[in-house]
Amino acid sequence: ETGVTQSPTHLIKTRGQQVTLRCSSQSGHNTVSWYQQALGQGPQFIFQYYREEENGRGNFPPRFSGLQFPNYSSELNVNALELDDSALYLCASSLGGADPKGTQYFGPGTRLTVL
Amino acid sequence: AQKITQTQPGMFVQEKEAVTLDCTYDTSDPSYGLFWYKQPSSGEMIFLIYQGSYDQQNATEGRYSLNFQKARKSANLVISASQLGDSAMYFCAMREGTQGGRRALTFGSGTRLQVQP
């Protein structure tokens, strides 16, 4: 069983640029959630996709957007990058409504640095 | 108000001893789930243990157990027989409501555990 994978591992961008991060969910999982983890803090929920539809959103501006594809992989797009966007971006997959516990399994993360 | 509070920024424990990491939570939803994750320096969040709000018994997974005190709204993680590889950040997280995997997780600020030989 393949776990959650993310690409790229590291990324360096400059302020104002746009970035796309990618995530492949664990086999059989139809739900993907994205989190932002600033240095020294716990992860903060950005949004979640369930069967290709956005299923909830945290307190992040519209320049954070996403997609989920028919194979349940997902992208996180961030436009007009700001210095505060520098963080570890974590993707997590889960079984959606089929798992009453709601356990989310995380990928290794993408570390984004904005200069 | 903080939904998940972890009051210990850092903890030290001797190898082979037990350690308790504290977590308190705040919710008005009668249905919720509590999770503990381990985050080594590599960054990946590793799921350790789950406790549901309606579970009658404390959860256990190998050397990990969860001391669930519902009235106190606490969900402390107990690691028995600590190993050097247990050195990492530990996060407590909560999922509110039903529909399990279609709910976001709210995380605490974490506790850094260092196991000393």
Side-chain angles (χ1 to χ4, degrees), chain B:
Chain B
Q2 292 279 353
K3 289 204 168 187
I4 297 285
T5 303
Q6 295 181 254
T7 57
Q8 306 154 313
M11 291 279 286
F12 288 91
V13 65
Q14 290 295 121
E15 196 178 5
K16 299 180 184 176
E17 292 189 348
V19 62
T20 298
L21 307 184
D22 295 342
C23 172
T24 58
Y25 60 92
D26 183 29
T27 180
S28 57
D29 198 316
S31 178
Y32 54 89
L34 297 157
F35 301 81
W36 277 91
Y37 285 86
K38 173 184 178 181
Q39 188 177 43
S41 55
S42 60
E44 183 171 353
M45 300 284 279
I46 301 167
F47 166 68
L48 297 177
I49 196 166
Y50 167 84
Q51 180 83 42
S53 60
Y54 296 117
D55 293 344
Q56 295 295 314
Q57 293 189 321
N58 287 342
T60 59
E61 288 285 349
R63 294 187 299 111
Y64 304 108
S65 60
L66 202 151
N67 184 0
F68 181 47
Q69 298 188 44
K70 196 169 182 177
R72 290 183 157 187
K73 292 190 174 179
S74 74
N76 298 339
L77 176 70
V78 180
I79 306 175
S80 64
S82 297
Q83 302 172 356
L84 295 178
D86 293 335
S87 294
M89 283 291 290
Y90 288 80
F91 289 95
C92 180
M94 177 172 64
R95 180 263 305 150
E96 293 174 279
T98 55
Q99 293 187 327
R102 293 175 61 185
R103 297 283 181 172
L105 295 178
T106 301
F107 286 83
S109 56
T111 296
R112 179 170 297 281
L113 177 66
Q114 295 186 58
V115 181
Q116 297 176 318

Side-chain angles (χ1 to χ4, degrees), chain A residues 9-22:
Chain A
T9 306
H10 294 87
L11 205 51
I12 300 174
K13 292 285 189 178
T14 56
R15 201 168 42 178
Q17 284 189 312
Q18 177 266 342
V19 68
T20 298
L21 310 182
R22 295 178 174 83

Side-chain angles (χ1 to χ4, degrees), chain A:
Chain A
E1 183 177 280
T2 307
V4 179
T5 60
Q6 292 185 244
S7 62
T9 306
H10 294 87
L11 205 51
I12 300 174
K13 292 285 189 178
T14 56
R15 201 168 42 178
Q17 284 189 312
Q18 177 266 342
V19 68
T20 298
L21 310 182
R22 295 178 174 83
C23 171
S24 291
S25 59
Q26 188 166 313
S27 178
H29 287 187
N30 56 18
T31 304
V32 172
S33 303
W34 286 91
Y35 295 83
Q36 180 196 66
Q37 185 178 19
L39 198 61
Q41 298 181 22
Q44 299 289 317
F45 174 67
I46 303 175
F47 45 57
Q48 182 183 86
Y49 280 85
Y50 171 68
R51 292 185 176 177
E52 302 178 61
E53 298 284 334
E54 187 176 292
N55 184 53
R57 189 178 183 92
N59 189 26
F60 280 81
R63 60 189 184 83
F64 285 78
S65 63
L67 282 174
Q68 187 179 34
F69 300 100
N71 66 354
Y72 302 132
S73 66
S74 177
E75 285 183 357
L76 163 65
N77 300 290
V78 187
N79 293 322
L81 283 167
E82 301 177 359
L83 297 179
D84 285 350
D85 295 335
S86 294
L88 180 67
Y89 289 84
L90 294 163
C91 167
S93 74
S94 56
L95 282 167
D99 173 17
K101 295 180 179 180
T103 304
Q104 296 189 13
Y105 297 91
F106 285 79
T110 293
R111 188 163 298 281
L112 173 65
T113 302
V114 182
L115 301 176

